[in-house]
Amino acid sequence: MSTETATRPPAAPARPPEGAPARSRASDIDGLRGLAALSTLIFHVWQQYYRYDAAGSHPPVDNPLIGAAFSFEIIDLFFVMSAYLLTLSYARAAIDGRSIRPARVFLFRRAIRILPLYVLAVLVVWASRNPTLPGDWRDLAEHLTFTHVFDQHRIFYTLGPTWSLSLEVCFYLVLVAIGPLAVRACRPLRQRRTRVAVCAAGCLALYAVPFAWIAVAHYGYGVPHTDWAVYFGPQARFGGFAAGMGLAVLMAALGERGRLGRRVALPLCAAAVAGLYCLSLFSTPENAAFTFYHPLTSGLWLLLLFGTVHVRRKSLWNRMLTARWLSAVGLVSYSLFIWHEPVMLQLHKAGLLPTDQAGFLPALLIVAAVALPVAALSYWLLEYPASLLGRLKDSRGRPRDFYPEAARQAS
């Protein structure tokens, strides 16, 4: 029976075609995580200390081409990657009838992944900035409940970059709600192409939501770009997650088919980077590129990821991403994301960062030299031990039996 008309396709995945690389695609993602984390560090050093002069008006470099490179925002890449990796199992279940983990297992593993380090960092940083009680208790409560992204005044308090984690948590809840629904909706559909079309249409609908929201807010009601709760909330930034979900559907639909050769993959990645750079270069508060910057970049990040992971053989780009040093940064990228801003602020408070406009590069090197070892310590002392808790349950959410043979012998 053809897979096009089968209600349930074979459970076993198709064999890779001749010439397909045996390596894990996760190594490329690790490299991208490392690049994204380093780019975030660069952006925040530039933005918070060297973007403007004493009058708050001029960028630290007169060349707009260099300024566009420094202002290259990377946060949407995190959203696209996260959504792609987490949606892939749901996409395969909806399209090819594979099984999915229960929602409680998914949420348990996500909590183990992000909460221990996040809660500790919030408590440490908040306590250092609120030495007397009650302090700004509302700020603490909002950060611990991931609701600070909805607070116009406190969205960037305590750990500024973690407003994005609020969106991650929102996405987790959305995914465990609509993922199983998509699987159930696709099961009665006999044709595989119909299942793919249904999943793709759902992703496109979710991708359109931020465009509609931003258009109504900006052009309909004239809400300024500095209204953070309007333009940083999930309703405006879900485009990154929708793009990642769309990539997961595309990868599940293709399987091992249609892998790109280097002559196609490299130009595709280069075109995506060029598009991202042009958006950064030409975006001003007066034009639509600035207004719709984040949903537009999400689509370009999707193209870059597709040209990175769906390839037949390693290209120069893949080899760069799998470099050992970059993979090491990718390994500690979450800790680096959490700690780089507190490290930067403490260095500035101690007078260890140059304050003049020409001091950007020395300051960047100083922050990186301190933040990277801190991130490595944080990973091995907290992240990695906490991740071991995720092994306490199997894929169905049942307590894992680590000594089945010993138990049988004892019985």
Side-chain angles (χ1 to χ4, degrees), residues 85-156:
L85 294 171
L86 297 177
T87 307
L88 196 55
S89 61
Y90 287 103
R92 288 169 173 165
I95 294 172
D96 292 327
R98 300 190 185 184
S99 61
I100 57 174
R101 295 173 180 171
R104 67 182 184 277
V105 177
F106 172 84
L107 294 175
F108 171 75
R109 294 192 173 180
R110 298 320 300 163
I112 289 298
R113 175 72 179 92
I114 69 171
L115 284 182
L117 174 57
Y118 175 76
V119 171
L120 175 65
V122 167
L123 292 176
V124 169
V125 175
W126 185 89
S128 68
R129 298 177 186 174
N130 294 266
T132 58
L133 296 177
D136 191 346
W137 63 267
R138 183 173 174 182
D139 172 48
L140 178 62
E142 289 180 353
H143 273 77
L144 292 178
T145 56
F146 296 98
T147 55
H148 53 294
V149 73
F150 303 106
D151 189 325
Q152 170 70 10
H153 302 292
R154 295 176 177 83
I155 182 174
F156 304 124

Side-chain angles (χ1 to χ4, degrees), residues 26 31 35 41 50 61 67 90 121 180 183 221 235 255 326 341 373 399:
L35 280 180
L41 185 151
Y50 302 97
V61 291
Y90 287 103
V183 173
Y221 290 92
Q235 69 283 354
L326 193 54
E341 187 192 57

Side-chain angles (χ1 to χ4, degrees), residues 29 32-33 36 76-86 305:
I29 299 295
L32 279 173
R33 283 198 185 102
D76 296 296
L77 174 58
F78 281 116
F79 295 157
V80 176
M81 283 193 296
S82 177
Y84 160 61
L85 294 171
L86 297 177
L305 276 170

